[in-house]
C-alpha cells in the first residue's frame, strides 16, 4: 500500500518502491490484472510484499485481490509470498497448509 493506505501496484529496485519520497503507483492491482487479461495475458502473477506481517490471514489484502481478480479474469493466477505457518498475536497457530488453502479458495 502507499502512504495513504491505498493498495497499489508498485515497482521498485530491490524492494525500494519509493521515487522522490513517494511510493511509485502504477495503478490498482485488480484493474491492472483485468487489463493484462484483456490484452491477452495467459497468466497473472502477484508478488505479496506484505507477507512479512504477523497477521497472515487476518490482515491480508492479497486474499481480497485474488477474490476480486478471479471474478474478472479467467487465466491462471499465481502468488508469491505469504504462504507460511505462523502464530498470531493471540497465540492462534496456523499451518502453511491452512494459509495455502485460504489462497486457493480466494481464487
Amino acid at each position: 500500500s502507499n502512504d495513504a493506505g491505498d493498495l497499489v501496484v508498485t515497482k521498485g529496485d530491490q524492494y525500494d518502491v519509493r521515487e522522490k519520497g513517494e511510493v511509485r503507483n502504477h495503478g490498482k492491482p485488480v484493474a491492472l490484472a483485468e487489463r493484462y487479461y484483456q490484452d491477452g495475458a495467459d497468466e497473472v502473477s502477484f508478488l505479496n510484499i506484505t507477507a512479512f506481517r504477523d497477521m497472515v490471514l487476518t490482515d491480508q489484502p492479497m486474499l481480497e485481490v485474488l477474490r476480486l481478480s478471479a471474478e474478472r479474469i479467467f487465466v491462471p493466477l499465481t502468488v508469491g509470498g505469504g504462504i507460511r505457518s505462523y502464530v498470531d498475536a493471540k497465540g492462534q497457530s496456523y499451518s502453511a497448509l491452512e494459509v495455502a488453502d485460504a489462497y486457493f479458495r480466494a481464487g
Side-chain angles (χ1 to χ4, degrees):
S1 59
N2 63 16
D3 294 331
D6 301 317
L7 193 61
V8 298
V9 173
T10 188
K11 182 177 180 184
D13 182 21
Q14 296 181 340
Y15 297 101
D16 178 12
V17 298
R18 294 188 177 274
E19 183 174 61
K20 298 178 185 174
E22 298 292 322
V23 172
R24 289 182 194 98
N25 181 350
H26 292 281
K28 302 279 186 187
V30 176
L32 284 175
E34 188 172 10
R35 188 181 91 201
Y36 294 144
Y37 168 69
Q38 291 171 351
D39 287 347
D42 61 359
E43 179 178 10
V44 174
S45 297
F46 296 100
L47 176 59
N48 183 357
I49 63 172
T50 62
F52 64 87
R53 294 180 175 170
D54 290 333
M55 304 87 51
V56 176
L57 291 177
T58 57
D59 181 23
Q60 192 53 268
M62 187 58 68
L63 292 173
E64 185 65 13
V65 166
L66 288 173
R67 281 186 201 100
L68 294 172
S69 295
E71 292 174 359
R72 294 170 172 81
I73 63 176
F74 305 98
V75 294
L77 300 174
T78 59
V79 178
I83 302 188
R84 61 182 172 86
S85 58
Y86 75 103
V87 177
D88 68 16
K90 296 179 183 176
Q92 174 71 39
S93 64
Y94 299 88
S95 70
L97 184 59
E98 290 173 293
V99 175
D101 182 64
Y103 275 74
F104 283 120
R105 290 180 186 281

